[in-house]
């Protein structure tokens, strides 16, 4: 059950971007009326998707800022909102500004749960963002996290079995370690590097 705080935040995001109509969805979700809430969301999206790009982009940026501390991103970013409004907005943003590292970073971020909705994979989006802006900490962090989560799953049955081709994981981990070098030096970065190197050693032992 979503918290009242979460629902208030979602409504504030819409208001901050000048997009009305989302508050009814919030109220219905707060009452536990999921089906009615999703119908209301669909009605909202029918209008929101017709807004100018500048307004839709402002909404996505506001949504992203609030998403960082949100207790349930599935509530803040329900599938219809992502596939009908967020992803099309980001793709249109890139068409108009193909050199925007932020747009590629966000496209990769929001497509993580809907990879079939875009042409590029999330990892490709993060790579493009890094290529356009080598100092983009968010894209570097996201790429490293994507690789580590993937390999962590591939190795979760060790020492009895390795899921998937270890050679591909070796290459991915080597790339992740290279990308990691561009992150600001923090104790957390050192911990991540240690984990990546441990996973790399495990993957190499299965070649």
């Amino acid at each position: 059950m979503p918290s009242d705080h979460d629902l208030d935040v979602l409504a504030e995001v819409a208001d901050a971007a000048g997009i009305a109509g989302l508050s009814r969805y919030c109220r219905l979700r707060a009452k536990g009326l999921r089906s009615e809430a999703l119908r209301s969301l669909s009605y909202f999206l029918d209008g929101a998707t017709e807004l100018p790009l500048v307004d839709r982009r402002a909404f996505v940026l506001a949504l992203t800022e609030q998403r960082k501390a949100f207790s349930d991103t599935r509530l803040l970013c329900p599938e219809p909102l992502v596939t009908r409004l967020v992803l099309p907005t980001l793709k249109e943003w890139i068409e108009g500004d193909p050199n925007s590292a932020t747009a590629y970073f966000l496209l990769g971020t929001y497509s993580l749960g809907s990879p079939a909705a875009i042409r590029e994979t999330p990892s490709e989006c993060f790579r493009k963002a890094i290529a356009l802006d080598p100092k983009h900490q968010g894209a570097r962090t996201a790429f490293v996290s994507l690789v580590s989560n993937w390999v962590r799953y591939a190795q979760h049955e060790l020492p009895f079995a390795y899921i998937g081709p270890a050679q591909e994981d070796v290459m991915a981990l080597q790339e992740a370690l290279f990308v990691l070098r561009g992150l600001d030096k923090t104790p957390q970065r050192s911990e991540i590097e240690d984990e990546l190197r441990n996973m790399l050693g495990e993957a190499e032992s299965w070649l």
Side-chain angles (χ1 to χ4, degrees):
M1 182 71 178
S3 70
D4 291 340
H5 170 71
D6 289 348
L7 293 164
D8 289 342
V9 169
L10 181 56
E12 288 171 4
V13 170
D15 292 340
I19 299 178
L22 211 51
S23 59
R24 176 171 170 75
Y25 163 77
C26 297
R27 290 196 302 271
L28 291 170
R29 280 304 301 266
K31 295 177 181 178
L33 302 174
R34 186 174 183 276
S35 296
E36 292 87 340
L38 289 176
R39 283 197 295 270
S40 177
L41 178 61
S42 180
Y43 180 77
F44 156 72
L45 289 172
D46 288 341
T49 53
E50 299 300 321
L51 289 170
L53 175 61
V54 63
D55 293 330
R56 288 181 282 120
R57 185 168 58 190
F59 174 78
V60 171
L61 291 173
L63 187 72
T64 301
E65 186 60 30
Q66 295 292 345
R67 193 173 186 261
K68 297 175 183 177
F70 211 73
S71 63
D72 186 354
T73 56
R74 291 172 298 178
L75 169 69
L76 185 62
C77 306
E79 184 69 13
L81 182 66
V82 173
T83 57
R84 291 187 56 190
L85 180 59
V86 175
L87 292 180
T89 296
L90 292 171
K91 287 187 280 189
E92 188 176 342
W93 181 354
I94 289 172
E95 288 175 3
D97 184 6
N99 293 320
S100 173
T102 297
Y104 273 111
F105 164 60
L106 294 179
L107 185 63
T109 299
Y110 283 101
S111 66
L112 283 170
S114 308
I118 66 171
R119 185 171 50 199
E120 301 92 343
T121 65
S123 60
E124 289 171 339
C125 291
F126 297 141
R127 287 191 186 99
K128 287 183 179 180
I130 295 168
L132 289 166
D133 180 6
K135 295 182 180 179
H136 199 298
Q137 299 291 292
R140 287 182 177 274
T141 299
F143 181 84
V144 171
S145 178
L146 186 65
V147 171
S148 62
N149 288 338
W150 174 265
V151 178
R152 196 177 293 118
Y153 172 77
Q155 297 182 351
H156 81 278
E157 292 189 2
L158 295 179
F160 306 106
Y162 196 105
I163 300 174
Q167 179 61 50
E168 292 184 8
D169 289 349
V170 167
M171 296 173 62
L173 287 164
Q174 290 172 339
E175 183 178 6
L177 283 165
F178 178 78
V179 169
L180 187 70
R181 296 178 191 170
L183 286 176
D184 294 337
K185 292 183 178 180
T186 63
Q188 184 180 19
R189 195 191 89 163
S190 298
E191 293 175 5
I192 295 172
E193 182 174 0
D194 289 342
E195 182 184 21
L196 291 175
R197 291 195 181 282
N198 288 336
M199 289 193 290
L200 178 59
E202 292 284 6
E204 289 175 336
S205 71
W206 281 78
L207 295 180

